[in-house]
């Protein structure tokens, strides 16, 4: 399968190239040239299959025949062997026609594990085949970094450096990054904010000499393979509720729009999905854009659902590309306007086509707390603050369409945000048993000034040691 850039001025590339590509050279994001489709009969067959077998069918259709079947099978098996639930992503009923899809049974308790672990397996296999070695650098506000450190720990082909804002993430998030014993993964605490960390990473990628010397690679949410991995649970959950014979709707707590875009991919492949509810917290740029067609930055506020405290939702560009009938010139014009004036308007026909499939809802901080409390009291079910944003939006959306089953995506385990859950419900969720000793394990962290040279020196030192160790094995 070939992949084209949303901005139309970069060469089309294969799936395995998207693993390492990051942004296209024209600044765009890669999407498949065409959407593969699965027949109704084929989708109906998924009802008897395990998560792994469904993943093989769905991902296989999206990738084409570029990877050997056994490479894909092995990457899937390895990725999901570490999950703590036999269904991998189980569905729980919360109310009449209201379901929660639990995506947090992976090692770091957030849905990022679902995609990051598969990406790591596919990347390792590709690098191994090509005899290459890469240095992954990324910035995190918590969940992406812990998933990346877990997924790439012990990789023979990738060193990982994750920058996070010193003293500004939760203790569970920090310990998930600092207690790994694998020598190829490194947590770097930067004396600064998340934005400072992101600027440092951007600066390193723009420092071409450094970038080439260390073969820098990224694993952030624009990575196409991460979206591919997330398409699978839309199929497994919808089929569990009767698809393809009856449609379902999804509510997705959204930040960078990667998760909900994966849902659109499932729909394009033939899964009957009635509506997507895009749920935001108080950082509601997406809900506003869907309401009035104006995508406009307004400043980020800190909330109890920090993984959704995002102002520029990078994967929204992929939706725009679709809504503009895949016209890259229209996407370029919108993105130029965003860069120059902090916003753009979505033309009426494109907005109409988006609204035909998506609704936007904002859940305020107070509403999220009330939903956490109410759900505990009524159903004895603990929601993490991100999932609470989704469940609140899902309940409001259901008032308009009570008959279609609604699946709200649960993106984090409540124990990952124990203080917020305790404040809302009076209950302090316990860490799953495999993480019980997390709070007493030895931490390993490098604290650095907010200074690109200092970070580059550190990475060069650590990654070089690793390269020279790996060199004899490469022959
Ligand atoms: C990353 C994240 C989100 C947002 O997902 P996007 O794909 O960026 O929209 C929501 N909830 C949690 C817990 C996350 O870690």
């Amino acid at each position: 399968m070939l992949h084209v850039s949303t901005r139309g001025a970069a060469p089309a590339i294969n799936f395995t190239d998207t693993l390492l590509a990051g942004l296209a050279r024209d600044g765009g994001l890669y999407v498949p040239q065409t959407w593969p489709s699965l027949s109704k009969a084929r989708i109906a067959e998924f009802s008897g299959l395990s998560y792994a077998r469904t993943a093989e069918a769905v991902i296989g259709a999206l990738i084409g025949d570029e990877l050997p079947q056994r490479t894909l099978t092995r990457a899937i098996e390895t990725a999901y062997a570490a999950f703590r639930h036999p269904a991998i992503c189980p569905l729980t009923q919360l109310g009449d026609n209201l379901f929660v899809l639990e995506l947090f049974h992976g090692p770091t308790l957030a849905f990022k594990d679902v995609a990051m672990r598969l990406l790591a397996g596919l990347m390792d296999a590709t690098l191994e085949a090509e005899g290459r070695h890469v240095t992954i650098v990324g910035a995190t506000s918590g969940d992406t970094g812990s998933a990346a450190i877990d997924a790439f720990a012990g990789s023979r082909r990738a060193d990982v450096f994750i920058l996070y804002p010193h003293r500004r993430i939760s203790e569970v998030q920090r310990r998930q990054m600092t207690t790994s014993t694998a020598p190829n993964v490194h947590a770097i605490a930067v004396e600064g904010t998340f934005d400072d960390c992101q600027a440092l990473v951007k600066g390193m990628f723009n420092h071409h000499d450094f970038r080439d010397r260390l073969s820098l690679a990224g694993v952030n949410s624009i990575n196409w393979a991460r979206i591919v991995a997330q398409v699978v649970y839309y199929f497994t959950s919808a089929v569990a509720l009767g698809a393809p014979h009856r449609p379902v709707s999804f509510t997705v707590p959204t930040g960078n729009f990667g998760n909900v875009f994966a849902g659109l991919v499932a729909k394009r492949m033939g899964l009957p999905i009635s509506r997507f509810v895009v749920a935001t917290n108080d950082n509601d740029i997406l809900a506003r854009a869907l309401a009035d067609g104006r995508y406009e930055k307004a400043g980020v506020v800190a909330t109890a659902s920090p993984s959704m405290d995002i102002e520029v939702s990078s994967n929204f560009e992929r939706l725009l590309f679709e809504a503009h009938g895949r016209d890259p010139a229209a996407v370029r014009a919108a993105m130029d306007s965003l860069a120059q004036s902090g916003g753009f308007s979505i033309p009426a026909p494109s907005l109409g086509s988006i609204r035909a499939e998506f609704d936007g809802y904002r859940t305020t901080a107070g509403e999220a707390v009330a939903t956490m409390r109410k759900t505990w009291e009524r159903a004895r079910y603990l929601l993490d603050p991100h999932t609470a944003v989704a469940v609140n939006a899902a309940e409001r959306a259901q008032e308009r369409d009570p008959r279609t089953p609604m699946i709200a995506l649960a993106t984090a385990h409540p124990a990952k945000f124990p203080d917020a859950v305790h404040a809302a419900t009076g209950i302090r969720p316990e860490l799953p048993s495999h993480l019980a000793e997390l709070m007493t394990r030895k931490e390993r962290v490098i604290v650095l000034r907010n200074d690109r040279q200092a970070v580059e020196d550190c990475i060069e030192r650590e990654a070089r040691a690793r390269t020279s160790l790996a060199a004899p094995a490469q022959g």
Side-chain angles (χ1 to χ4, degrees), residues 39-98:
S39 69
K40 204 171 163 181
R42 183 81 186 98
I43 296 171
E45 283 169 11
F46 293 169
S47 79
L49 298 187
S50 66
Y51 188 91
R53 294 287 90 75
T54 309
E56 274 174 29
V58 172
I59 297 172
L62 277 162
I63 295 181
D65 54 9
E66 199 179 313
L67 282 177
Q69 179 64 39
R70 63 170 191 289
T71 302
L72 180 59
T73 302
R74 193 180 307 143
I76 290 170
E77 297 289 349
T78 312
Y80 302 122
F83 276 57
R84 299 282 147 169
H85 196 289
I88 310 303
C89 300
L91 206 54
T92 298
Q93 185 155 18
L94 214 55
D96 286 345
N97 258 345
L98 177 61

Side-chain angles (χ1 to χ4, degrees), residues 288-301:
R288 282 186 283 115
L290 288 169
D292 61 15
R294 182 79 197 148
Y295 187 100
E296 185 128 54
K297 293 203 234 176
V300 183
V301 297

Side-chain angles (χ1 to χ4, degrees), residues 110-112 143 253-259 307-308 386 411-412:
F111 88 102
K112 302 290 196 292
D143 295 335
T254 308
N256 268 317
F257 211 81
N259 206 359
S307 299
M308 299 160 68
H386 303 78
T411 49

Side-chain angles (χ1 to χ4, degrees), residues 28-45:
L29 277 63
Y30 283 108
V31 289
Q33 204 160 39
T34 56
W35 297 118
S37 78
L38 297 173
S39 69
K40 204 171 163 181
R42 183 81 186 98
I43 296 171
E45 283 169 11

Side-chain angles (χ1 to χ4, degrees), residues 43 106 111 155 181 215 244 255 305 341 356 386 394-395 410 459:
I43 296 171
F111 88 102
S155 161
T181 53
S215 297
S305 40
S341 63
H386 303 78
E395 287 174 342
I459 292 176

